Amino acid sequence: MHYLVQMEVRWERVPEGLSQRYPFSLPAVRVLQSPLRFPAPVTFLVGENGSGKSTLLEAMAVAYGFNPEGGSKNFAFSTRDSHSPLHRHIRLTKGIRSPKTAYFLRAESFYNVASNIDEMDSEPVPGPRRVIDSYGGISLHAMSHGESFLALMLNRFGPNGLYLLDEPEVALSPANQMTMLARIHQLVRQGSQFVISTHSPMLLAYPEATIYQIKQDSICRVEYTDTDHYRLTSHFLNNTDGMLRVLLEE
């Protein structure tokens, strides 16, 4: 099930004076002269810090209707208006069916999402169900950062969903990254779609995922073992002493 089919930058709508400035100067944006397609249930955006993968994902999320700071589409809080204007200059092509549920996880602002949930539940509302009940029933602030991420995925995420995740591995141990992989697979089998920006070689290993690797002058679809993240991690683990000699040489 593909709820998001492709995205493209509408360069004809970008004023000439802005095309060389942020965010259009970022490698992930600058090289997108043709649509970026999402043919698989799981798509990864991978690249070095500053390549623009998170900015690209954020623009897709905002264009889809999400709060720039994350959450489901009914989150409307704003802690700081810091997102780029890129969403105004892209076009999303959606599938013929809409997802039953959807969520944008932005790791760096998930604390703000957790705070907003607590604030909403502190207000008197009709009915017995609280917002936090969809996340496992315990305040996300009562958990570690990693535990709150897992509570989100295990409780709030459901079948037939669209999930845009920005570096979801940042708070997770290797064991919990494996738990996340298993949960992603479970949700994919239940009709969900994921677009994920990541640095994690473990997440990138998801079978038959579409992986786009962002370089300074290109964005190309690659196989898992051809990613820089896999190659560097593999080389380090298989030649730890040699790598440490090079890195720590005085």
Side-chain angles (χ1 to χ4, degrees):
M1 179 60 63
H2 296 99
Y3 306 111
L4 193 58
V5 177
Q6 67 178 32
M7 68 82 64
E8 58 188 312
V9 179
R10 306 188 70 180
W11 288 105
E12 74 279 5
R13 295 196 174 188
V14 179
E16 185 174 349
L18 294 181
S19 61
Q20 303 302 315
R21 297 167 57 185
Y22 175 85
F24 305 101
S25 60
L26 291 170
V29 182
R30 186 181 66 243
V31 300
L32 272 183
Q33 301 299 321
S34 58
L36 190 68
R37 295 182 172 85
F38 310 111
V42 178
T43 300
F44 290 109
L45 305 176
V46 61
E48 278 298 329
N49 298 129
S51 62
K53 61 187 181 300
S54 292
T55 301
L56 197 62
L57 189 73
E58 173 197 82
M60 286 190 281
V62 176
Y64 199 86
F66 290 107
N67 185 333
E69 294 189 51
S72 61
K73 294 177 75 172
N74 63 348
F75 278 74
F77 72 94
S78 178
T79 304
R80 182 185 177 191
D81 188 9
S82 60
H83 60 288
S84 83
L86 181 59
H87 63 280
R88 304 191 193 106
H89 302 280
I90 67 172
R91 177 193 288 122
L92 299 179
T93 301
K94 302 177 183 179
I96 59 174
R97 295 180 60 185
S98 297
K100 182 178 179 180
T101 184
Y103 208 94
F104 173 38
L105 170 62
R106 187 172 185 172
E108 66 182 28
S109 57
F110 191 59
Y111 178 94
N112 301 333
V113 173
S115 296
N116 189 242
I117 292 171
D118 284 352
E119 290 170 6
M120 288 188 288
D121 282 340
S122 69
E123 299 174 358
V125 293
R129 188 164 178 79
R130 304 168 302 164
V131 178
I132 197 62
D133 291 335
S134 296
Y135 295 76
I138 301 173
S139 171
L140 299 175
H141 284 313
M143 307 176 185
S144 71
H145 203 30
E147 287 173 326
S148 68
F149 278 30
L150 285 181
L152 168 69
M153 289 203 66
L154 295 175
N155 297 287
R156 173 58 181 80
F157 288 9
N160 303 306
L162 173 65
Y163 303 108
L164 308 184
L165 312 182
D166 182 26
E167 300 184 6
E169 75 280 1
V170 294
L172 298 179
S173 68
N176 280 334
Q177 289 186 46
M178 294 181 188
T179 300
M180 178 173 282
L181 265 178
R183 179 59 173 159
I184 288 172
H185 186 57
Q186 182 183 47
L187 290 167
V188 164
R189 295 179 68 180
Q190 295 173 340
S192 294
Q193 181 183 7
F194 290 82
V195 181
I196 305 171
S197 69
T198 186
H199 291 292
S200 171
M202 296 179 77
L203 294 186
L204 285 171
Y206 186 82
E208 300 182 7
T210 296
I211 302 175
Y212 288 110
Q213 182 164 263
I214 301 164
K215 300 279 193 175
Q216 279 296 321
D217 56 357
S218 66
I219 180 167
C220 298
R221 185 173 174 178
V222 298
E223 297 299 320
Y224 171 55
T225 54
D226 291 329
T227 63
D228 292 342
H229 292 58
Y230 171 85
R231 288 179 170 178
L232 186 59
T233 302
S234 178
H235 186 58
F236 184 88
L237 293 176
N238 292 321
N239 186 31
T240 304
D241 290 342
M243 286 287 287
L244 287 175
R245 283 196 295 271
V246 172
L247 294 171
L248 307 182
E249 183 179 0
E250 297 182 359

